[in-house]
Amino acid sequence: LTISPADTPLLSRMATEPQPLFFGEKTSDPYLRRLMGALDATVLAVVPIVGRDVFLGVLSVSVTERPERLHADDELMERLTGVAALAAPAIQNGRLVDTLRHRANHDGLTGLLNRVGFRAHIDRILNKLTPGDDQVGLLFIDLNDFKAVNDAYGHEAGDELIRQVATRLNAIGRDTDMVARLGGDEFALILADVNRDDQVRAAEERVRDAFIEPFQLGEVPVSISTSVGGGVWPDDGHTVKELVRHADAEMYRDKAQLRREQTTPPEPRVPATLPIG
């Protein structure tokens, strides 16, 4: 059950004026009256949980019989506020642990999984699979000539480009896919629940298509291309290490092919008929 300030104005009031409140079955608040009816509660006590002057939540205690047990005397108030006081650092410590865990597994610039989070995520996927399940695809993505963007426009512009690339890669994935930033200008796209190799090839094309439109860095449109390499588990590797090595090699093969295309001079144009002299 999630209670929001839209459900009862008493929650908003408690957040700004954190004081214990007690309610009986005939409370005038319609939301709390329905809630108490659903809980078969005769008395409901709500005590704010506050830590370092920050409202964190509420401790609620109700009884279905013998309502005198929740009589608001000094002894009961001391017990309830004592429990709330113990809950406050527990909640704050829990949030701190969640924050630290998130930071340890996510990239600070883009919010994507970082290298640690990427490895943990793909490990979880592969550990759940059994023979006969769908395959798992992996794409490695590397920006071409990203250093030139940093040199021409500065590192802040480079950071903004990385953020926009992350947004576009997130947009082309399915709900079950996951994008990671492995460092610098390198990304990975984990494709869960693929059952054909051509699905991975199609994902590679979606990545390339995402770079067709220029990126807008301030008032400057910047075009940049990408190299993509893919692999499929278990065909291209039975372990994460093998699959990563294969996708990485395919990405560098794609990058080398692009360089050859850029450096190969065009074929000379030969006229259809040679002049006779």
Side-chain angles (χ1 to χ4, degrees):
L1 175 65
T2 301
I3 303 175
S4 71
D7 295 319
T8 168
L10 290 173
L11 184 58
S12 298
R13 194 176 81 187
M14 179 167 283
T16 56
E17 302 174 13
Q19 297 294 329
L21 297 174
F22 289 79
F23 305 95
E25 294 175 286
K26 297 182 179 180
T27 175
S28 60
D29 187 292
Y31 181 84
L32 291 180
R33 192 164 57 247
R34 291 194 302 270
L35 179 62
M36 292 179 67
L39 297 174
D40 197 23
T42 58
V43 180
L44 173 67
V46 181
V47 181
I49 300 174
V50 179
R52 299 171 189 166
D53 297 325
V54 177
F55 177 74
L56 302 172
V58 297
L59 166 69
S60 62
V61 182
S62 63
V63 294
T64 58
E65 58 183 17
R66 294 171 55 203
E68 66 275 7
R69 289 178 294 163
L70 279 185
H71 179 66
D73 55 24
D74 292 341
E75 182 182 358
L76 178 64
M77 291 294 293
E78 183 179 354
R79 289 183 180 181
L80 294 181
T81 54
V83 173
L86 292 174
I91 293 174
Q92 289 175 320
N93 290 340
R95 288 180 176 178
L96 177 60
V97 170
D98 290 342
T99 299
L100 293 176
R101 183 182 295 114
H102 185 273
R103 289 179 180 176
N105 288 277
H106 290 79
D107 174 54
L109 181 63
T110 63
L112 301 176
L113 292 177
N114 59 16
R115 189 175 291 274
V116 174
F118 159 78
R119 179 58 188 256
H121 183 75
I122 197 168
D123 277 342
R124 283 195 298 270
I125 292 176
L126 295 184
N127 288 336
K128 291 179 181 178
L129 295 179
T130 58
D133 286 342
D134 287 340
Q135 297 171 313
V136 175
L138 175 64
L139 300 185
F140 265 28
I141 303 157
D142 185 78
L143 308 188
N144 297 320
D145 299 320
F146 175 70
K147 183 177 181 298
V149 175
N150 275 337
D151 292 343
Y153 304 107
H155 289 280
E156 288 187 5
D159 287 347
E160 176 59 24
L161 176 60
I162 291 294
R163 283 191 287 264
Q164 292 187 29
V165 167
T167 299
R168 291 195 188 183
L169 293 178
N170 260 331
I172 66 172
R174 305 165 302 171
D175 291 341
T176 56
D177 299 336
M178 187 66 69
V179 184
R181 183 188 178 206
L182 303 182
D185 59 345
E186 296 181 346
F187 296 83
L189 178 58
I190 305 170
L191 306 167
D193 303 326
V194 296
N195 49 39
R196 300 189 310 275
D197 184 69
D198 60 355
Q199 289 179 305
V200 178
R201 305 285 83 79
E204 291 181 8
E205 290 307 310
R206 290 199 302 273
V207 170
R208 293 188 177 94
D209 290 345
F211 287 78
I212 294 176
E213 183 179 347
F215 295 87
Q216 197 70 29
L217 303 182
E219 298 181 356
V220 181
V222 174
S223 296
I224 191 168
S225 62
T226 184
S227 298
V228 189
V232 179
W233 178 92
D235 298 345
D236 298 319
H238 289 278
T239 66
V240 173
K241 186 176 182 179
E242 291 174 353
L243 183 59
V244 166
R245 187 186 298 120
H246 178 87
D248 192 49
E250 289 296 309
M251 184 269 290
Y252 277 103
R253 188 174 292 112
D254 186 54
K255 188 179 290 289
Q257 176 62 30
L258 181 62
R259 289 199 186 102
R260 286 194 293 270
E261 293 173 356
Q262 292 174 339
T263 58
T264 301
E267 293 290 335
R269 298 183 63 185
V270 180
T273 59
L274 295 177
I276 299 175

